[in-house]
Amino acid sequence: SYISGAAVGIGNNVLEVQQDGTLFVNGKRHMNNDASLPTEFATYPFTKNMIGKKKKINQYVLNLTDSNIGGGQDESEDLDTMIEPMTITIHANPKTQMLFVKIDGDIHDGIGLLGNPRVGNRLLGR
């Protein structure tokens, strides 16, 4: 078996990327060359890049870091109190039909395959 799509849900919003790079936001399909690609998803910054040697791999990046948290921090504050960046990056390679999902940061209220890393009820691979 293989994974044909990756989805991210925040509140009532759903973002889905298929293995060919097709993007769906709340059920609306966005073509790869669509100029109307959203720049935000559920109020978070959302970007699309073309990466790889031949720029054929779709890269979608959702930045979940709250820029309002610690926005006015004094540089002399302890580094341990700084906010760790949280991002979800999805690569879709149309040639190989492969998906790559990378999650950076600690998403405290995460559910699904990852679950909460501090609770023993997360789903694990077999």
Side-chain angles (χ1 to χ4, degrees):
S1 68
Y2 68 98
I3 298 173
S4 62
V8 175
I10 299 176
N12 293 326
N13 299 297
V14 178
L15 176 136
E16 181 183 351
V17 178
Q18 294 183 343
Q19 76 269 18
D20 64 355
T22 302
L23 173 71
F24 288 88
V25 177
N26 295 327
K28 180 182 177 196
R29 182 180 179 167
H30 293 273
M31 302 303 291
N32 288 336
N33 297 326
D34 191 352
S36 69
L37 282 173
T39 58
E40 283 190 347
F41 173 72
T43 72
Y44 295 103
F46 179 70
T47 57
K48 177 190 177 193
N49 305 301
M50 298 303 290
I51 63 171
K53 285 184 180 178
K54 297 181 181 180
K55 306 290 184 207
K56 301 272 185 182
I57 299 171
N58 298 285
Q59 178 191 54
Y60 297 99
V61 180
L62 181 61
N63 184 353
L64 300 173
T65 304
D66 187 349
S67 60
N68 295 324
I69 297 176
Q73 282 186 342
D74 185 359
E75 290 182 21
S76 64
E77 285 189 35
D78 186 12
L79 292 177
D80 291 337
T81 63
M82 295 187 76
I83 303 303
E84 180 182 351
M86 294 186 298
T87 59
I88 298 175
T89 304
I90 302 173
H91 296 174
N93 187 332
K95 181 178 179 181
T96 63
Q97 300 285 297
M98 297 290 288
L99 285 173
F100 169 82
V101 179
K102 179 181 176 190
I103 299 174
D104 290 313
D106 186 6
I107 301 175
H108 300 288
D109 55 354
I111 58 173
L113 272 180
L114 292 178
N116 186 332
R118 292 178 182 80
V119 180
N121 63 355
R122 64 181 180 212
L123 298 175
L124 301 174
R126 295 182 228 191

